[in-house]
Amino acid sequence: MSNTDTTDQTPDRTLGRTPGPWDAKPEATSARATAPAPAAEAPVEKDQSLVWAMLSTALMGGFLWWITGSAIVAGAVLIGLFVHEAGHALVMNKLGMGPARIYIIPFLGGLAKARREPKSEWDGVLVSLAGPAFGLLAMIPFVGVRMVLGQGEWLMGAFFIAMLNLVNLVPAPPLDGSKALGPVLTRVHPRLEQIVLLVIGVAVVWWGLTTGRFILAAFLALSVFSHLKRGVWRAAWGTLSWPEAGKSLALYLLTLAVCAAAAVGALMPMTGGDPAGSVQLGLNYLGFGR
């Protein structure tokens, strides 16, 4: 029998002595026994080192310069990545998921990582759409410089920033569009989310292979396979209510329309203000030209 189980405060005759002042009081030991154990704190993830952060950014910048052939366009995409991920991070912090961290992943893109999971599926949707919506702000200085200098290369930088955010809205894992539209499909039926995202994911992988974007295609293929193995979409978070699903769909479509309009608008000076020509020029850059 442990000491925490006894409440008798009379002298202990069987031991031949009276409890002294050094002995724990019965009520104190009982309180310690019944007190709940402190909750274990979540391990704090180690911050990315400054050296690796600078190296990964330099690698990404060099890769962008190599594939675009323009330092201005490469710089625009790199700045666009930071602003895009900053949008995710700001909303993560606002919703109590922070402090969020931003990482640049060489040859692939960027990542905003939260300290905590979102409190609800609705919060997750807001975080996913914040990146593309906020990321368009990176276009402003490039459009401004183009208006002053008149050089089309600055406008191309703005266009690629818009495309960066637009492509991220494609509902294919692990892009932002899958995290915004996936919960809406799950509200209808979890299998619908799985099937739709799988079909679109396979189509995007095929697009990457046929247009020579092999690194992106490989990365997306791994993500689609992981999505297929994961099963029901974020079941631990619950599901959206029907009103939340409606708002999520409306916000997704609005963000998609704004990003598409920004991309077309950036190209219009190159096509003499012709919207149809701007759309066709944008499709050519994506590999869908005639």
Side-chain angles (χ1 to χ4, degrees), residues 20 23 31 41 52 86 99 123 152 163 167 199 201 209 214 218 239 255 260 272 289:
D23 292 310
E41 295 184 0
W52 173 243
D123 285 0
M163 290 305 300
V167 170
V199 170
L209 291 174
F214 301 115
T239 56
T255 308

Side-chain angles (χ1 to χ4, degrees), residues 162-189:
M163 290 305 300
L164 167 70
N165 293 285
L166 182 61
V167 170
N168 257 284
L169 288 171
V170 175
L175 302 177
D176 294 328
S178 67
K179 300 168 187 175
L181 191 60
V184 178
L185 299 174
T186 299
R187 173 69 271 185
V188 180
H189 196 282

Side-chain angles (χ1 to χ4, degrees), residues 105-287:
I105 305 173
F107 317 118
L108 292 176
L111 172 68
K113 192 168 185 179
R115 178 72 60 85
R116 303 169 186 84
E117 295 290 338
K119 296 177 183 177
S120 67
E121 193 78 277
W122 170 244
D123 285 0
V125 171
L126 293 178
V127 168
S128 64
L129 292 177
F134 192 80
L136 292 178
L137 295 177
M139 296 177 62
I140 296 175
F142 289 89
V143 173
V145 173
R146 191 270 174 184
M147 293 176 64
V148 174
L149 300 180
Q151 296 177 353
E153 204 170 9
W154 293 91
L155 208 55
M156 287 306 300
F159 166 73
F160 276 100
I161 291 173
M163 290 305 300
L164 167 70
N165 293 285
L166 182 61
V167 170
N168 257 284
L169 288 171
V170 175
L175 302 177
D176 294 328
S178 67
K179 300 168 187 175
L181 191 60
V184 178
L185 299 174
T186 299
R187 173 69 271 185
V188 180
H189 196 282
R191 293 300 176 189
L192 178 63
E193 181 270 340
Q194 284 184 293
I195 293 171
V196 170
L197 266 63
L198 177 61
V199 170
I200 296 177
V202 170
V204 173
V205 171
W206 177 253
W207 165 79
L209 291 174
T210 56
T211 58
R213 296 168 172 87
F214 301 115
I215 296 178
L216 178 62
F219 174 66
L220 291 174
L222 290 174
S223 299
V224 170
F225 179 71
S226 176
H227 165 73
L228 187 63
K229 290 178 59 180
R230 180 170 49 199
V232 177
W233 183 268
R234 294 182 302 232
W237 296 7
T239 56
L240 295 171
S241 64
W242 282 111
E244 288 174 339
K247 290 189 292 184
S248 298
L249 181 59
L251 283 175
Y252 172 76
L253 294 176
L254 177 61
T255 308
L256 186 69
V258 171
C259 289
V264 172
L267 293 177
M268 286 184 65
M270 300 183 181
T271 60
D274 178 20
S278 300
V279 171
Q280 185 58 51
L281 184 58
L283 291 175
N284 290 341
Y285 280 112
L286 290 174

Side-chain angles (χ1 to χ4, degrees), residues 2 65 221 265 290:
S2 66
W65 192 0
R290 289 191 295 267

